[in-house]
Amino acid sequence: MSGRVYAKYIICCFMSLMVFGGMIDASANSPNSAEAFIKLLSGNLRFNSGLSTHTNISAKRRKEVTTGGQHPFATIIACSDSRVPVEILFDQGVGDLFVIKVAGNVCNTDEIGSIEYGVDHLGTPVLVVLGHTNCGACTAVATGADVHGSIPDLIAPIRPALEKVKAAHPKLQDKALVSALIEANVWQAIEDLFLRSSSTRERVKMGWVNVIGAVYNIETGTVKWMGTHPEEESFLTRLEKELREQ
Ligand SMILES: [Zn+2]
């Protein structure tokens, strides 16, 4: 590795810690949650700087997680897109991440069940909803593409995000519209999860898990961290009230 690349990596790590330290809700900030987030952050910085360590991929590690069981430190829902290789882009290995892959990183019944397994049963202190640039599922929704088979049902959860983007930015078109939709769809997936998963809501309220949105750039290899949902607290409070009144 060149000295310049290594220096860039160190500076990025330091700056990211300064910036993202404040992104994690203090009330939900168990040491594990912060540590898990920093492991993802630094792993992605290693990856996009060409400094991946490829740890935890040995036969010893496989034996360890077979006999000792799995103890992943993060649950991640990402798009099925082949250009989004989750363990690789976070420079993690066997048994490190509990990953759900589905086109458009939507939160529907199966995905929510899998997330609950990772967050509730395995107890990961971080959940990342990871969108990505050039997402085909979001592009199909933004452009009104003619899709067949089971795909319309699959991408239906993305449509409310498109409506929100269009309402907020009626003039957006083409690539700008798709980019805005990709971010809005990350927030939408988090909303859908909160709406339908009481155990996730409970764990967020207790400060046992941080739910973070992010978008992976398939060309640069960098992850843009969006933080927790901007309306997380009010959303959870409102939802609880509505559910009580039902
Ligand atoms: Zn995609």
Side-chain angles (χ1 to χ4, degrees), residues 78-81 83-84 102-105 131-138:
C79 183
S80 297
D81 195 302
R83 299 164 294 182
V84 187
V102 60
N105 43 271
H132 70 97
T133 58
N134 300 58
C135 181
C138 287

Side-chain angles (χ1 to χ4, degrees), residues 74-246:
T75 299
I76 299 179
I77 175 167
C79 183
S80 297
D81 195 302
S82 60
R83 299 164 294 182
V84 187
V86 177
E87 275 90 350
I88 295 174
L89 73 92
F90 287 116
D91 191 24
Q92 300 300 321
V94 176
D96 290 332
L97 304 176
F98 190 81
V99 179
I100 299 107
K101 286 204 107 194
V102 60
N105 43 271
V106 293
C107 276
N108 226 324
T109 308
D110 293 350
E111 295 79 29
I112 291 172
S114 298
I115 288 172
E116 286 174 342
Y117 191 86
V119 168
D120 207 15
H121 183 72
L122 297 175
T124 66
V126 166
L127 163 66
V128 180
V129 177
L130 185 67
H132 70 97
T133 58
N134 300 58
C135 181
C138 287
T139 304
V141 171
T143 58
D146 194 14
V147 288
H148 301 279
S150 296
I151 298 176
D153 286 344
L154 170 72
I155 61 178
I158 303 175
R159 295 195 193 287
L162 179 65
E163 281 161 26
K164 286 173 194 165
V165 172
K166 284 189 164 174
H169 309 284
K171 289 183 181 165
L172 275 188
Q173 282 186 335
D174 306 324
K175 279 187 176 176
L177 177 63
V178 174
S179 295
L181 177 57
I182 287 165
E183 290 201 8
N185 184 49
V186 167
W187 295 140
Q188 185 65 49
I190 292 174
E191 271 193 44
D192 291 342
L193 171 69
F194 284 156
L195 189 64
R196 295 173 60 183
S197 175
S198 59
S199 66
T200 306
R201 291 198 303 271
E202 198 54 36
R203 292 187 82 85
V204 169
K205 254 175 34 199
M206 298 301 287
W208 294 339
V209 66
N210 270 295
V211 181
I212 299 169
V215 173
Y216 172 65
N217 185 312
I218 62 165
E219 188 177 358
T220 64
T222 54
V223 170
K224 175 184 174 183
W225 296 100
M226 296 160 64
T228 50
H229 193 296
E231 293 160 42
E232 180 183 276
E233 206 176 326
S234 64
F235 185 73
L236 291 180
T237 308
R238 194 178 70 231
L239 200 58
E240 213 170 281
K241 189 166 172 268
E242 284 170 8
L243 288 171
R244 263 202 315 268
E245 287 167 0
Q246 272 175 14

